[in-house]
């Protein structure tokens, strides 16, 4: 428990301010305690030697050597990180126990006043590691006490009286019981501290990854990767329902073979598929372990307060396992601000301790996932707004600066051309060509400013597409018409900007290359996908017929920029061309958030 706001980490930082990580601080605290223990013991026995008197000089020498060792270990920690490696810790612990055994053997064995040196070894093991290492160290200390009871003279028949002493049977037994009880309690505390550190590290990683990720997709992908590593699972599934629209999206994360970032795919679930992931189960968090058959699972669940609910037997949806045999599933309900709610599923988590402890850990982590993911979501919106404001500023600069300068230059060329038309027809033709180039550049810069003004939208796409088509018709004189059947569907933030750019690029290609007189744009949303088609009556492409994106890529044909944008969205592109009569581009992109 922290006192006056000072916790264990702050305490370690106070004693060891020259190191930054938690393990190094713990090792430095142990090293400082070792120096204090050894030097104070040396000072005490210097003024009041211990019994038996014939070993006093040896005790002085051992304490002096141990003090030098303690100071050397502390200096080594301050100068290099090698001393914090696991093998170095094992060597130091072995030296601590060896000195403690020698000191207690020379000073009445289990009744020695240096019994604290043995306990120091157990305490340092608990500070360094978890329960297993602490129990092993405790067993070593109890064994050392038993060996000392045999070596030092006692009233027991098995004593070999290598060293002089006067011990009964009760003292070794009582000391062994003390060490055993202390070791058990310290092991329990060490395991709790180890779990606490792992939990804090996981939460910190979740918050950091959520802060660095761009937008809700990047945030969720980062969080899923952290959860996979935290629970040792090979697959994580996150199903989230959007409160406003009622749509359900699925993120499927698979652990990478090289222990790197998880491989995450996303999709939208139909009404029939939602039951495979949002099926009803009691409790806020639960763990289903495979029972005697392939379909039945023993369910252990906890409520929102971490209290256990009655154990039940359930059948999980077969589609959850995607055709692979799995032994267990851990599920936890999460909230993503007020906009999202859903469930996180971890397939085959590595649960080393009890199931209830793992469920409580998942419940605590889930309480951090929601705020962290919401933070990433808000940051993504703020970044998009900031980028939109910057694009709008650049558009104004181009319109008020470059465009106006080009218009003035075009007017001046027009004046000069009219004067030259009377005196030099050849010069007038050249000026006419320059004037045409200036008009094209003015149109191109205006199109660029319109692109920069395009911002991401969470509303229906119809107004934005209508503006693009209307502006194209107004600027080029080509008749253009939009037919939309999107209904209440909306282009989510992830795809809206790219879809607008695809339409803009397609209309620019029509103006520059097709020579068309009419353009028809169709937009429709169905089955979780947005379909966009651009059809014109111009020259068409050099080929005849319909070609997919793979065929276009292999033949180095078609609109390269549009193909790159569609591929980045995970969509599909196809082109149908009739040379001399026109062409049609069909684009289909997933409606993912």
């Amino acid at each position: 428990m922290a006192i006056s706001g000072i916790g264990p980490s702050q305490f370690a930082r106070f004693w060891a301010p020259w190191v930054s990580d938690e393990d190094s601080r713990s090792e430095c605290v142990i090293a400082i305690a070792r120096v204090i223990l050894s030097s104070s013991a040396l000072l005490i026995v210097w003024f009041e030697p211990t019994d038996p008197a014939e070993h006093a000089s040896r005790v002085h020498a051992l304490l002096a050597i141990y003090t030098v060792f303690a100071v050397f270990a502390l200096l080594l920690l301050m100068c290099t990180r090698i001393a914090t490696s696991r093998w170095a810790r094992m060597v130091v612990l072995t030296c601590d126990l060896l000195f403690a055994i020698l000191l207690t053997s020379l000073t009445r064995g289990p009744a020695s006043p240096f019994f604290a040196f043995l306990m120091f070894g157990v305490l340092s093991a608990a500070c360094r590691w978890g329960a297993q290492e602490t129990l092993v160290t405790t067993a070593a200390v109890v064994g050392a006490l038993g060996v000392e009871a045999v070596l030092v003279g006692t009233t027991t028949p098995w004593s070999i009286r290598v060293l002089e002493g006067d011990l009964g049977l009760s003292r070794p037994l009582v000391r062994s019981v003390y060490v055993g009880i202390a070791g058990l309690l310290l092991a329990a505390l060490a395991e709790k501290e180890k779990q606490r550190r792992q939990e804090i590290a996981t939460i910190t990683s979740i918050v950091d990854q959520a802060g660095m990720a761009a937008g809700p997709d990047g945030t969720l992908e980062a969080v899923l990767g952290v959860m996979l590593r935290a629970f040792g699972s090979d697959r994580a599934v996150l199903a989230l329902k959007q409160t406003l629209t009622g749509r359900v999206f699925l993120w499927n994360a698979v652990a990478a073979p090289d222990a790197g970032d998880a491989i995450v795919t996303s999709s939208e679930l139909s009404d029939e598929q939602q039951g495979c992931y949002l099926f009803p189960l009691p409790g806020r968090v639960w763990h289903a372990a495979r029972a005697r058959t392939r379909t039945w699972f023993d369910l252990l669940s906890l409520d929102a307060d971490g209290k256990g609910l009655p154990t039940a037997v359930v059948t999980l949806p077969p589609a959850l396992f995607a055709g692979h045999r799995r032994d267990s599933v851990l599920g936890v309900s999460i909230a993503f601000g007020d906009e999202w709610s859903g469930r996180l599923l971890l397939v085959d988590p590595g649960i080393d301790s009890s199931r209830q402890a793992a469920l409580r850990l998942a419940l605590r982590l889930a309480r951090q996932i929601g705020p962290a993911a919401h933070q990433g979501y808000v940051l993504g919106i703020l970044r998009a707004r900031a980028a939109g404001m910057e694009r709008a500023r650049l558009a104004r600069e181009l319109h008020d600066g470059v465009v106006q300068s080009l218009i003035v230059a075009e007017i001046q060329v027009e004046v000069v051309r009219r004067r030259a038309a009377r005196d030099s027809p050849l010069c007038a033709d050249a000026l006419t060509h320059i004037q045409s180039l200036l008009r094209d550049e003015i149109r191109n810069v205006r199109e660029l400013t319109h692109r920069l003004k395009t911002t991401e939208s969470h509303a229906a796409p119809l107004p934005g597409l209508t503006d693009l088509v209307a502006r194209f018709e107004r600027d080029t004189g080509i008749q253009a018409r939009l037919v939309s059947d999107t209904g209440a569907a909306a282009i989510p933030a992830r795809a809206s900007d790219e879809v607008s750019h695809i339409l803009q690029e397609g209309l620019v290609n029509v103006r520059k290359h097709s020579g068309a007189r009419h353009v028809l744009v169709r937009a429709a949303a169905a089955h979780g996908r947005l379909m966009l088609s651009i059809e014109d009556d111009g020259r068409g492409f050099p080929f005849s017929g319909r070609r997919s994106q793979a065929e276009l890529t292999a033949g180095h044909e078609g609109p390269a920029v549009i193909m790159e944008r569609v591929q980045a969205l995970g969509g599909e592109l196809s082109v149908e061309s009739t040379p001399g009569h026109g062409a049609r581009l069909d684009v289909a992109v997933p409606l993912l958030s």
Side-chain angles (χ1 to χ4, degrees):
M1 180 182 296
I3 300 176
S4 301
I6 300 178
S9 60
Q10 289 83 358
F11 177 79
R13 188 178 293 108
F14 171 78
W15 283 101
W18 57 85
V19 292
S20 57
D21 61 286
E22 194 72 22
D23 291 338
S24 297
R25 289 197 189 103
S26 299
E27 197 66 28
C28 286
V29 171
I30 294 173
I32 294 172
R34 185 186 296 109
V35 172
I36 296 174
L37 177 64
S38 59
S39 58
S40 59
L42 178 61
L43 184 63
I44 292 172
V45 299
W46 184 266
F47 293 101
E48 186 177 350
T50 59
D51 293 330
E54 62 271 18
H55 299 309
S57 59
R58 299 179 184 177
V59 172
H60 291 168
L62 281 174
L63 286 174
I65 296 173
Y66 189 53
T67 302
V68 173
F69 166 76
V71 173
F72 174 76
L74 178 60
L75 294 176
L76 191 64
L77 278 170
M78 296 174 63
C79 299
T80 178
R81 292 183 58 86
I82 298 178
T84 60
S85 61
R86 186 172 181 84
W87 67 267
R89 292 181 175 188
M90 294 296 297
V91 171
V92 172
L93 177 61
T94 302
C95 293
D96 287 337
L97 294 179
L98 181 61
F99 276 107
I101 292 171
L102 292 175
L103 285 171
T104 53
S105 298
L106 295 175
T107 52
R108 298 185 181 277
S112 170
F114 298 110
F115 176 76
F117 282 72
L118 290 172
M119 287 303 304
F120 176 77
V122 179
L123 290 168
S124 62
C127 289
R128 289 188 180 102
W129 302 299
Q132 183 177 357
E133 293 84 355
T134 304
L135 291 176
V136 171
T137 305
T138 301
V141 172
V142 172
L145 290 175
V147 172
E148 289 177 348
V150 175
L151 296 178
V152 180
T154 64
T155 57
T156 57
W158 55 78
S159 175
I160 60 177
R161 302 181 67 85
V162 174
L163 299 174
E164 291 298 329
D166 185 15
L167 297 175
L169 182 61
S170 60
R171 287 185 180 180
L173 292 178
V174 171
R175 291 291 178 92
S176 299
V177 172
Y178 286 167
V179 173
I181 293 175
L184 288 174
L185 296 177
L186 288 172
L189 291 176
E191 190 63 24
K192 287 185 178 180
E193 178 66 14
K194 182 179 179 181
Q195 293 178 357
R196 184 190 68 85
R197 290 184 181 182
Q198 292 177 348
E199 181 179 339
I200 291 176
T202 303
I203 292 175
T204 303
S205 180
I206 289 175
V207 174
D208 291 343
Q209 294 291 334
M212 292 186 296
D217 275 344
T219 298
L220 294 177
E221 291 177 3
V223 168
L224 289 177
V226 173
M227 293 298 290
L228 281 176
R229 293 189 294 270
F231 283 88
S233 177
D234 58 357
R235 180 188 172 198
V237 177
L238 178 64
L240 289 180
K241 184 175 184 179
Q242 194 174 25
T243 306
L244 183 62
T245 63
R247 296 159 62 191
V248 178
F249 299 93
L250 182 73
W251 283 262
N252 198 333
V254 180
D258 55 354
D261 294 337
I263 303 172
V264 181
T265 58
S266 56
S267 60
E268 183 177 1
L269 298 180
S270 63
D271 295 338
E272 296 78 13
Q273 295 173 324
Q274 294 179 14
C276 298
Y277 303 96
L278 299 179
F279 46 87
L281 278 179
R284 180 71 177 273
V285 59
W286 48 267
H287 180 257
R290 189 177 296 277
R292 293 177 296 274
T293 67
R294 290 179 55 88
T295 57
W296 293 89
F297 289 79
D298 292 326
L299 180 70
L300 175 64
S301 57
L302 305 179
D303 60 16
D305 297 326
K307 298 180 180 179
L309 299 175
T311 304
V313 177
V314 296
T315 301
L316 299 182
L320 177 63
F321 304 102
H324 301 283
R325 178 182 176 88
R326 304 296 183 183
D327 294 325
S328 63
V329 180
L330 189 151
V332 56
S333 301
I334 66 172
F336 184 19
D338 296 330
E339 294 85 2
W340 301 89
S341 62
R343 175 177 292 169
L344 172 64
L345 303 175
L346 296 172
V347 181
D348 277 347
I351 299 179
D352 298 329
S353 57
S354 66
R355 295 170 69 188
Q356 286 200 4
L359 291 180
R360 292 191 177 95
L361 173 61
L363 184 60
R364 291 192 294 269
L365 293 178
R367 290 169 180 166
Q368 303 297 325
I369 291 176
H374 188 259
Q375 175 188 0
Y377 177 77
V378 173
L379 286 176
I381 295 177
L382 293 177
R383 288 169 181 160
R385 290 179 179 176
M389 294 174 64
E390 182 64 16
R391 289 196 299 268
R393 186 189 68 81
L394 291 175
R396 289 194 300 270
E397 293 291 336
L398 289 173
H399 181 271
D400 298 338
V402 177
V403 173
Q404 299 304 320
S405 298
L406 290 174
I407 291 175
V408 172
E410 193 268 338
I411 294 173
Q412 292 175 349
V413 170
E414 172 66 15
V415 173
V416 176
R417 185 189 66 80
R418 290 180 179 179
R419 291 178 181 176
R422 297 189 297 268
D423 303 330
S424 178
L426 293 178
C427 183
D429 293 340
L431 290 174
T432 301
H433 178 67
I434 294 175
Q435 187 179 19
S436 176
L437 293 177
L438 284 173
R439 287 175 179 173
D440 288 341
E441 289 306 314
I442 291 173
R443 188 181 297 110
N444 290 335
V445 175
R446 280 178 172 170
E447 290 175 353
L448 177 60
T449 59
H450 290 314
R451 289 188 189 183
L452 290 173
K453 289 179 180 179
T454 302
T455 56
E456 295 181 355
S457 174
H458 297 271
L462 182 58
L465 301 185
T466 302
D467 291 342
L468 286 174
V469 174
R471 189 186 310 117
F472 171 79
E473 183 176 25
R474 182 176 63 251
D475 293 344
T476 64
I478 301 174
Q479 294 184 8
R481 186 165 63 98
L482 170 67
V483 177
S484 177
D485 187 20
T486 58
I491 301 179
R494 178 183 178 185
S496 60
D497 192 43
E498 290 293 335
V499 169
S500 298
H501 286 165
I502 289 172
L503 177 57
Q504 180 75 23
E505 185 68 26
L507 294 176
V508 169
N509 290 339
V510 170
R511 177 181 64 81
K512 288 184 177 180
H513 308 297
S514 71
R517 301 174 61 185
H518 302 85
V519 177
L520 176 62
V521 178
R522 294 187 179 93
H527 306 294
R529 299 170 71 85
L530 174 69
M531 279 73 75
L532 180 70
S533 69
I534 306 171
E535 185 176 357
D536 67 77
D537 59 355
R539 302 184 185 92
F541 289 89
F543 61 87
S544 179
R546 187 177 185 86
R547 298 191 179 181
S548 65
Q549 183 164 337
E551 294 172 336
L552 293 171
T553 302
H556 301 285
E557 297 172 315
V561 175
I562 294 180
M563 285 193 292
E564 292 177 359
R565 293 186 182 277
V566 173
Q567 186 175 7
L569 290 173
E572 299 174 359
L573 168 70
S574 62
V575 176
E576 184 175 349
S577 171
T578 303
H581 294 83
R584 188 178 73 187
L585 276 71
D586 292 321
V587 176
V589 297
L591 283 173
L592 297 180
S593 295

